[in-house]
Amino acid sequence: MNHSRSNTGAPREPGLPPYQVVLSETDWSSLETPFGNGMDLPEVLTRLLTPDPKAQVNALSELGEMVGHQNTIYEATAPVAMYVAGILTHPAATTPRPYRNVPIRAALLNWLVSTTYDASDEIVGRTEQYFPGFLAPGTIVASFRDLRPMLYQAVSPFLRDSHEDVREAAVIAALILAEHRDHLAVHARAILDTSGDDPNRRVARKALEAWGHDVPAPEPFLEEPWDWEPQSDGRGDLEPPF
C-alpha cells in the first residue's frame, strides 16, 4: 500500500474515510453480525447524528450488541467503528448527555474503547495462547486491528480536550489503539494521578509498565484476578439517580 508522505519524507498513515462514505459505500447486508447480517446498521448509525441525546445513547447501546455481542469482533464491527470514529468531530457529538453535562462525544469515545479493547494486544495475546492462528493475516480480528492507526488518528485530537470526560476517554482509547508513543506517557500518568475510574487506571498502568516506565504499586484491590471489560452503552446515564 502506498502511503502519502509529509514534507520531511516520512510516511503518513492513511486517513479515515468520511463517515458519509463509510455509510453509503459499505455493503452492510453482506457483513456478518451475531444476529445475521448488518442490513439494519445504517438506520442505527444515522440515529447517532440526531439532536436527541437519548436516541444517540440508545443507538450506541444497540450497536454494542449488534457488532460486539459477547465481546466478539464481527465483519460488521470494522465499518461501524470507522463510522463512530468519523463522527467525533460532528456537531452532534457536542450534544449534552441526559442528566449529565457531558458531551455525547465522551460516549462515542468510550464505545470505541469498549470495542477496540476486544481486539487489544492484551486480549488477542491471551487468546492466541489457546487458539493459535487467531491473528493470522486475513482473519476478521487481524483485519480489524489493521484499522488501529486510522482510529488512533481520529481520537488523538481529543487527548487535550477541555472536557475531562472526553479527554480521559480519548486517552484510554489512544492507549489501546497505539503502540508505544512517547507523548502518550504523560497522558497515561495523568490518568493515574487524577482519574477515579479503576479500569481506566489499570489501562494506563499496564501501558506505562509495558513501555518500561516506573509506576507506583497498584492498590491491593486492583491486583485481584478480574478481567476489565469496559461498559460504555451509557444506559445508566439515561435514568435519574435513585
Side-chain angles (χ1 to χ4, degrees), residues 185 188-189 192 201 204-210 212-218:
R189 287 198 178 276
L192 286 182
R201 287 170 55 82
R205 184 184 306 279
K206 279 184 167 289
L208 288 170
E209 289 175 343
H213 291 259
D214 293 328
V215 293

Side-chain angles (χ1 to χ4, degrees), residues 99-197:
Y99 307 106
R100 295 181 61 192
N101 187 26
V102 178
I104 202 73
R105 181 177 288 131
L108 296 172
L109 285 163
N110 278 322
W111 188 92
L112 287 170
V113 167
S114 179
T115 302
T116 56
Y117 178 75
D118 295 330
S120 65
D121 292 344
E122 177 182 359
I123 295 301
V124 299
R126 188 185 309 165
T127 305
E128 274 265 291
Q129 296 177 14
Y130 302 98
F131 300 98
F134 178 70
L135 272 183
T139 60
I140 292 174
V141 174
S143 297
F144 182 80
R145 282 168 59 86
D146 288 342
L147 297 178
R148 292 187 298 171
M150 286 194 296
L151 297 177
Y152 175 85
Q153 281 191 30
V155 306
S156 60
F158 302 100
L159 292 173
R160 298 186 183 275
D161 194 85
S162 60
H163 198 288
E164 180 181 0
D165 292 67
V166 173
R167 185 170 63 249
E168 181 164 334
V171 170
I172 299 304
L175 291 174
I176 291 172
L177 289 167
E179 295 181 359
H180 184 193
R181 298 177 185 251
D182 290 337
H183 72 278
L184 286 179
V186 65
H187 297 291
R189 287 198 178 276
I191 296 293
L192 286 182
D193 292 341
T194 64
S195 177
D197 187 298

Side-chain angles (χ1 to χ4, degrees), residues 61-105:
S61 179
E62 290 177 47
L63 289 175
E65 188 67 12
M66 294 171 76
V67 302
H69 183 66
Q70 295 184 340
N71 311 113
T72 301
I73 302 296
Y74 297 90
E75 287 180 339
T77 309
V80 169
M82 293 169 68
Y83 182 94
V84 172
I87 65 172
L88 288 173
T89 57
H90 192 280
T94 64
T95 305
R97 297 188 66 175
Y99 307 106
R100 295 181 61 192
N101 187 26
V102 178
I104 202 73
R105 181 177 288 131

